């Protein structure tokens, strides 16, 4: 994409290519294109400045896997589906996908331990 804002149709074409087909574009985007095209354009610009940034220290596949991990952590099903389709387009393996799930699960479980600090502290102080 150049400095000129792409049209919504161009954005959808780019998304379809990245996600492995028009059928893989999230429903929210499909509906928003007609009722809130500015939101679709904002999403595209945000993507260009993060996951698809040409200056990213991460290769596109790795950036996408980080995005997939965040989507899993947020439990955002539409985002998970779209990002999974992109991962498959990038040639992500079964093992890589399973490790993303394992890492996110580990982080989620450890988050509970961290959140329980007041409980552990109270128990430790009241032995």
């Amino acid at each position: 994409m150049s400095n000129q804002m792409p049209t919504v149709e161009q954005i959808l074409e780019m998304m379809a290519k990245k996600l492995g087909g028009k059928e893989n574009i999230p429903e929210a985007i499909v509906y928003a294109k007609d009722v809130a095209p500015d939101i679709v354009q904002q999403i595209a610009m945000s993507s260009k400045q993060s996951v698809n940034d040409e200056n990213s220290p991460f290769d596109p596949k790795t950036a996408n896997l980080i995005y997939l991990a965040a989507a899993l952590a947020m439990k955002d099903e539409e985002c998970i589906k779209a990002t999974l389709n992109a991962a498959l387009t990038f040639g992500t393996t079964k093992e890589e996908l399973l490790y993303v799930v394992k890492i996110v699960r580990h982080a989620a479980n450890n988050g509970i331990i961290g959140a329980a600090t007041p409980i552990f502290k109270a128990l430790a102080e009241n032995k």
Side-chain angles (χ1 to χ4, degrees):
M1 289 193 294
S2 67
N3 288 339
Q4 185 176 343
M5 178 68 71
T7 66
V8 173
E9 290 76 23
Q10 290 170 325
I11 292 168
L12 294 178
E13 286 176 26
M14 289 182 276
M15 289 181 79
K17 183 177 177 184
K18 181 178 178 184
L19 301 177
K22 288 184 179 184
E23 68 278 4
N24 295 325
I25 295 173
E27 265 190 291
I29 302 295
V30 172
Y31 290 119
K33 76 178 175 65
D34 294 324
V35 297
D38 58 314
I39 291 176
V40 175
Q41 289 177 316
Q42 291 168 8
I43 291 168
M45 290 309 300
S46 178
S47 177
K48 182 165 176 47
Q49 295 169 351
S50 61
V51 179
N52 295 309
D53 188 339
E54 294 172 1
N55 298 314
S56 173
F58 302 108
D59 63 272
K61 180 179 171 182
T62 301
N64 187 76
L65 289 175
I66 293 169
Y67 186 20
L68 177 58
L72 279 169
M74 294 183 334
K75 300 176 185 173
D76 182 336
E77 282 190 46
E78 279 296 308
C79 193
I80 292 166
K81 289 176 190 175
T83 310
L84 171 60
N85 287 323
L88 295 172
T89 300
F90 283 122
T92 303
T93 66
K94 173 183 174 182
E95 291 77 19
E96 290 169 324
L97 291 171
L98 290 174
Y99 265 90
V100 168
V101 172
K102 289 177 182 181
I103 292 167
V104 173
R105 180 186 55 90
H106 174 68
N109 288 340
N110 284 345
I112 292 169
I113 298 299
T117 299
I119 296 169
F120 295 139
K121 181 179 178 184
L123 292 172
E125 291 173 352
N126 297 311
K127 291 184 196 177

